[in-house]
Amino acid sequence: MIPVIAPIGINWFYESQATNLAQDLSAFGLAAAALSSSDVAALRAHAGSTVLIVNYSECLITAERAGRRGELVAALGEFEHRVLVNYDTIYSHWFGNQFPADAPPITAIVDLTMVRQVAVPFVRGVPYAWAPEAFSARERAAVRPWQPGRPLPWAMLGHATADRAAFLSAAMEALGSDGLAFLPPHRPFDRRSGFEATEIARVLARSDLYLWSSHHSFPYHEGFRALHAVAAGAVPAKVDPLNAAHFAHVPWVYSSLEAVREARERHGLAGLYQAAFDFIERHGRLAGNVAEAIAPWHSPARRLLEDGSRLEVAQ
């Protein structure tokens, strides 16, 4: 059994992904269970080879709030492989937070991102592998393609910042003022944040375009957003003037909002949606990608892939 620990109660994005990953790995043939990092007893019950850690920093915070940080640190020390499932840009302080000095060190990194960040075998002295971001089998079965007649031409969702306020103003000028923007003050991504899965899906199921821009200048493709858009039938559109050339192979990254408008006029929303869907489909499935990434350190995954049981794995 592979435990997948997450900061349950702090960040539903990571909580949801841990559950999704554990379910998909189990269906793939690698038994896994999603656990709160504060559930130390359950974690210790599966101590041994490999633990997958979704945001180490926030996992430690969750345990600390429950008065169990020391217990979690001790339990993690019982695992041979502590694999960080990474959703941050490796150039940021958020990524640096995944390497605490007072806890057992990460022994490997699985970079679960839409676009590979670096083509090197080690990052911060730790073995690094890219797992292309992809739908789980369950998510893929629930995808609902874009259809005409949606009431919202565009939607923006994210915490309020000065840059996002300027981006919203530009979007209204370039694409019209009848979209929807939900930009509340910064708050934890808990179940009361307004950014819960069903609420995001409800908005995107009524939107033609899902717009966002980076809140930093690093060449990084944010996790979750493109999958959320395509699953709900919306067209993803990331606007990144600084790094658009870096993402030239990704069909939904643009240098400007004007470029978004021109692409919509040239290819139509149906064509843009299909291009985004096809790009993600070429990434295969979540469990296969993660199994391939952890195979060098986790012998059950290696055996599963070698014996021909492998499902769809990105090439």
Side-chain angles (χ1 to χ4, degrees):
M1 176 74 74
I2 304 174
V4 185
I5 66 170
I8 292 177
I10 289 182
N11 191 317
W12 82 261
F13 284 102
Y14 295 136
E15 176 183 341
S16 176
Q17 190 61 4
T19 300
N20 191 36
L21 177 56
Q23 291 176 347
D24 213 37
L25 285 171
S26 296
F28 185 74
L30 291 172
L35 304 174
S36 170
S37 58
S38 63
D39 191 354
V40 179
L43 179 62
R44 278 196 166 130
H46 301 297
S49 175
T50 304
V51 58
L52 302 183
I53 304 172
V54 182
N55 197 307
Y56 199 4
S57 174
E58 292 189 9
C59 281
L60 290 168
I61 292 171
T62 299
E64 184 171 2
R65 289 181 177 179
R68 292 175 182 159
R69 192 182 194 280
E71 295 176 56
L72 175 63
V73 166
L76 289 173
E78 299 175 16
F79 286 87
E80 180 181 3
H81 303 291
R82 291 173 293 275
V83 181
L84 174 67
V85 181
N86 181 55
Y87 285 99
D88 288 311
T89 169
I90 62 172
Y91 308 103
S92 72
H93 71 276
W94 298 292
F95 182 70
N97 290 342
Q98 307 307 310
F99 299 84
D102 59 344
I106 292 297
T107 62
I109 300 165
V110 170
D111 202 19
L112 192 51
T113 52
M114 191 62 67
V115 178
R116 182 172 187 146
Q117 298 196 65
V118 289
V120 296
F122 295 91
V123 171
R124 287 180 173 248
V126 177
Y128 167 94
W130 177 49
E133 191 178 22
F135 288 123
S136 66
R138 178 178 55 84
E139 288 174 320
R140 173 62 184 85
V143 168
R144 296 294 178 264
W146 177 85
Q147 294 290 335
R150 294 183 168 218
L152 297 172
W154 54 267
M156 286 178 55
L157 305 172
H159 288 133
T161 65
D163 286 345
R164 283 184 176 142
F167 184 62
L168 172 59
S169 177
M172 293 173 66
E173 182 174 347
L175 302 173
S177 60
D178 48 354
L180 180 147
F182 179 58
L183 304 175
H186 191 272
R187 62 184 70 171
F189 283 113
D190 60 21
R191 296 285 177 183
R192 297 170 297 174
S193 67
F195 293 110
E196 204 273 329
T198 55
E199 295 165 334
I200 291 174
R202 187 180 305 117
V203 170
L204 296 182
R206 292 163 171 76
S207 306
D208 286 326
L209 293 166
Y210 183 22
L211 300 175
W212 77 91
S213 60
S214 293
H215 59 282
H216 52 66
S217 60
F218 304 117
Y220 175 72
H221 188 290
E222 294 73 15
F224 305 112
R225 286 187 181 261
L227 294 184
H228 287 165
V230 171
V235 176
K238 170 181 166 70
V239 179
D240 189 349
L242 291 177
N243 299 299
H246 179 80
F247 298 111
H249 64 295
V250 182
W252 59 79
V253 179
Y254 301 91
S255 60
S256 66
L257 284 158
E258 289 71 24
V260 175
R261 184 185 61 217
E262 291 168 4
R264 184 182 61 183
E265 293 171 354
R266 183 182 312 113
H267 302 291
L269 289 165
L272 294 178
Y273 178 85
Q274 191 63 49
F277 174 83
D278 291 345
F279 184 92
I280 294 173
E281 278 293 276
R282 289 194 291 272
H283 278 187
R285 294 288 170 266
L286 174 66
N289 294 348
V290 172
E292 186 171 51
I294 68 175
W297 319 299
H298 188 68
S299 55
R302 185 165 59 251
R303 288 194 297 269
L304 182 65
L305 297 175
E306 288 174 350
D307 73 6
S309 300
R310 146 186 200 165
L311 301 181
E312 288 186 73
V313 178
Q315 300 299 313

